[in-house]
Structures are given as structure tokens and as C-alpha cells.
Amino acid sequence: MKKRRYILADKDMGVFLGTYEAAELGYDDDGRVFACFASNNPFNLTTACSFRSLKAAENFARDMFAPAKYKKLAALEVETDSEFPSVVDIIKSGHYNEASEMLEILFENGPQTIH
């Protein structure tokens, strides 16, 4: 059954996909944590991090990002049956512009059937 969840998006960087540590890119002695957006997606993700409520999404954005970045983020409603909505869920929820770079990754390996 589809549920209402919320994702974060930046109009220039697309959908917020989640976070990762520098060690995941081979920088073992670097303790930094990075935000992964659709426009800068080293893992070719086609799913996004989501939140149970609008308030949870907004609180995460406020706690995670500097004020200048936080002000550029929007919480978008998505209908999904997963904690990690797919690019298809995001587009079906009306957020094509924010997810277009994720869609390109989906089609990198040739034509796909999307339902």
C-alpha cells in the first residue's frame, strides 16, 4: 500500500539522496560526512532518502545543512511503498524536474520499461 512520504530537493542540485562518509570513496582517514544530491551522485543511486512527515524532513534539513543551503531546500510529497522512494515514485508524484538526473541513470544501460 502506498504511503505519503517526504523527500528533500534543491532546485539546482535535484533530489537529496542521502549521506555518505569519505571512507566510502577510499578516504579512510577523513571523517567528513557528505550529502549526496542527484546532480552529484557518485553511486548512481535511483532511490532517495525519505521522511515520514513534513516536519521530520524540515527538521533534518535544518540540522544537517548550513542556513544558506537549508533555505534552498524544499520538502516534496511522494506516494511510495518504500522508505526509499524510487525515481519512478518521485516522477509519478509530479517531481520530474527534481528527478531528471536520476532518470538518466536509470536509462544508462539501455531502454527500460517503467510502470
Side-chain angles (χ1 to χ4, degrees), residues 31-88:
R32 293 182 289 173
V33 174
F34 297 96
C36 184
F37 284 87
S39 67
N40 184 14
N41 181 0
F43 306 106
N44 290 334
L45 300 173
T46 58
T47 59
C49 172
S50 73
F51 304 88
R52 289 185 187 180
S53 68
L54 178 60
K55 185 174 178 77
E58 291 172 343
N59 286 343
F60 177 85
R62 192 177 313 106
D63 292 344
M64 176 71 182
F65 298 100
K69 182 64 172 177
Y70 164 73
K71 291 176 185 175
K72 292 182 173 184
L73 294 173
L76 307 173
E77 187 176 307
V78 175
E79 293 290 324
T80 182
D81 55 6
S82 171
E83 181 180 345
F84 299 97
S86 71
V87 63
V88 175

